[in-house]
Amino acid sequence: MKNIFLIALIFSLISFKAAAVSADDSLIALNKAEQLVTSLPEEGRYQDSDSKNRDKIFDILEKSVKAFKDAPEDQLLLDQIVKVASAMNKKDTEQYSSELVLVLFDYSEPEFKNKSAAIKKRQEQYDTALKKLSPVDAAALKKSIQNFIRSKHQGNG
């Protein structure tokens, strides 16, 4: 029994450390993604190399969202996710980055079911992150995410 407890403790410490490293790695990757966004042409006029960079940005955003779900108290990570998603929405007419991050703000997700404190906390984090954008960019991102959430629940019609 003592060995099982020790093994469980070791695995929990390893998983906690992995989540922390993942969040740090995500911050570094998001900084790189931010630089890649600035190199993209306006409104989806992509060439082959641009498409690769766009896909790399989306991959970084997707992994960063997963890292944030593992470390939901990391405001700096959420700020950077929101910043990159907003910048990418300006370059991508489909606004796919909003779809990638909507799981963080869709309060019908299982992690929020019957947890008003969790919803309030995430909304505060979201508002804090949006305040770091210009008012126009914050409104555009918020509207885009709301549209994706609505179409997820009600369809596209």
Side-chain angles (χ1 to χ4, degrees):
M1 186 67 173
K2 189 176 181 181
N3 289 339
I4 293 172
F5 176 73
L6 185 60
I7 291 171
L9 179 65
I10 290 171
F11 279 119
S12 66
L13 289 173
I14 290 170
S15 66
F16 179 73
K17 179 68 176 164
V21 170
S22 181
D24 290 342
D25 291 344
S26 291
L27 280 170
I28 293 167
L30 284 165
N31 285 329
K32 182 177 181 174
E34 191 176 2
Q35 293 170 356
L36 289 173
V37 169
T38 60
S39 72
L40 292 176
E42 292 298 317
E43 296 186 7
R45 296 184 182 102
Y46 301 125
Q47 298 186 5
D48 287 342
S49 63
D50 297 325
S51 294
K52 290 177 186 173
N53 285 340
R54 181 196 65 200
D55 292 344
K56 185 180 263 187
I57 293 164
F58 290 148
D59 185 50
I60 290 169
L61 267 175
E62 187 173 21
K63 289 177 181 175
S64 297
V65 166
K66 289 177 184 172
F68 182 77
K69 289 183 84 125
D70 291 340
E73 297 297 318
D74 195 335
Q75 182 67 45
L76 185 59
L77 179 57
L78 182 63
D79 292 348
Q80 197 64 19
I81 289 169
V82 166
K83 185 176 181 181
V84 171
S86 174
M88 192 58 199
N89 275 351
K90 293 179 194 175
K91 305 282 183 150
D92 178 37
T93 56
E94 300 294 318
Q95 298 189 339
Y96 181 60
S97 57
S98 291
E99 188 171 0
L100 290 173
V101 302
L102 77 85
V103 297
L104 299 177
F105 312 113
D106 183 358
Y107 302 125
S108 68
E109 291 286 316
E111 69 184 283
F112 297 111
K113 288 271 189 213
N114 301 319
K115 297 179 182 172
S116 60
I119 292 171
K120 183 179 179 185
K121 174 70 174 165
R122 182 62 55 84
Q123 188 60 48
E124 288 171 358
Q125 290 176 303
Y126 184 37
D127 290 341
T128 299
L130 287 174
K131 286 178 185 173
K132 296 186 178 180
L133 301 174
S134 73
V136 171
D137 291 346
L141 180 64
K142 192 171 186 176
K143 181 178 179 183
S144 177
I145 291 171
Q146 287 172 340
N147 288 340
F148 274 105
I149 290 172
R150 182 183 34 79
S151 72
K152 176 182 170 186
H153 295 291
Q154 299 173 355
N156 239 359

